[in-house]
Amino acid sequence: MAPSSYQPPTRGDKATTATRSQSVESNLSQTNTTVAKLLEGKGDAVFAVRPTDTIHSVVEILREKRIGAVVVTDQNGTLQGILSERDIVRRMAETPGQTLPQSVSDLMTRDVQTCKPDDPLNDVLKTMTEGRFRHMPVLSDGILRGVITIGDVVHFRLKELEYEALRMKQMIVG
């Protein structure tokens, strides 16, 4: 049985007039969030080391700052590579007891995937997931602007979804 407030269409109703509370544009509006928006909330602090530093000094920085990777820059701040916990652990398995005195340049990843502040977060997340890496430096005009992690992207996106759900609930409840 239909609710008492339901009224079936009548001959005078126009079937071509339709209203929509949602559209593709409104549903996808949040997916256009950029890296710059994430960095606004996160900040642009970057922990960098030099290629000649030792792995021991990097391990100390990672532990002290509670981070998972450092960028490697030259004296001018130009990106040379990236070094993560994973890189260090893999080398420790290959050269037990000999890893800490090695230099950063021996272990760092030189071909670094980077992104730009105006890149969409969804594209960056896809790149990081497909490439199976968790840290991505942000470059603008060749200048290092920050580093984002896959955790940063997921956390930011979850906050967006929570906000969106709250807005929908407020719209429904009134």
Side-chain angles (χ1 to χ4, degrees):
M1 178 167 199
S4 61
S5 62
Y6 174 76
Q7 293 182 347
T10 60
R11 285 186 198 203
D13 291 342
K14 295 185 179 183
T16 58
T17 305
T19 61
R20 290 185 171 75
S21 61
Q22 297 183 21
S23 67
V24 173
E25 292 77 24
S26 69
N27 287 341
L28 295 177
S29 65
Q30 294 299 318
T31 62
N32 294 327
T33 304
T34 63
V35 170
K37 183 78 172 164
L38 187 150
L39 284 178
E40 282 176 21
K42 179 184 178 183
D44 57 1
V46 176
F47 298 100
V49 296
R50 301 282 182 258
T52 55
D53 290 347
T54 65
I55 299 305
H56 182 269
S57 65
V58 171
V59 169
E60 289 295 317
I61 292 169
L62 295 175
R63 180 184 58 80
E64 188 179 299
K65 304 297 182 187
R66 300 176 54 101
I67 56 176
V70 291
V71 292
V72 184
T73 60
D74 63 14
Q75 63 276 10
N76 300 322
T78 304
L79 183 66
Q80 301 295 307
I82 192 166
L83 183 63
S84 71
E85 293 170 320
R86 282 184 182 174
D87 298 328
I88 296 169
V89 169
R90 286 185 184 128
R91 182 58 66 97
M92 289 179 103
E94 294 168 4
T95 60
Q98 303 168 12
T99 305
L100 295 180
Q102 294 179 26
S103 71
V104 168
S105 63
D106 294 335
L107 272 79
M108 71 182 191
T109 300
R110 294 174 191 279
D111 185 23
V112 183
Q113 287 272 17
T114 63
C115 61
K116 296 179 282 214
D118 58 347
D119 286 346
L121 273 186
N122 284 351
D123 292 353
V124 171
L125 182 61
K126 183 178 178 185
T127 301
M128 293 173 92
T129 302
E130 289 173 355
R132 298 180 51 87
F133 55 89
R134 298 178 289 185
H135 303 86
M136 185 180 276
V138 181
L139 293 179
S140 176
D141 299 323
I143 298 169
L144 190 59
R145 302 293 183 190
V147 175
I148 60 172
T149 68
I150 200 159
D152 294 335
V153 177
V154 169
H155 179 74
F156 187 85
R157 190 67 182 114
L158 284 174
K159 289 291 183 193
E160 280 185 331
L161 291 172
E162 286 175 10
Y163 177 71
E164 199 172 304
L166 179 64
R167 281 191 0 217
M168 290 177 76
K169 188 184 284 185
Q170 288 172 338
M171 236 180 7
I172 293 168
V173 174

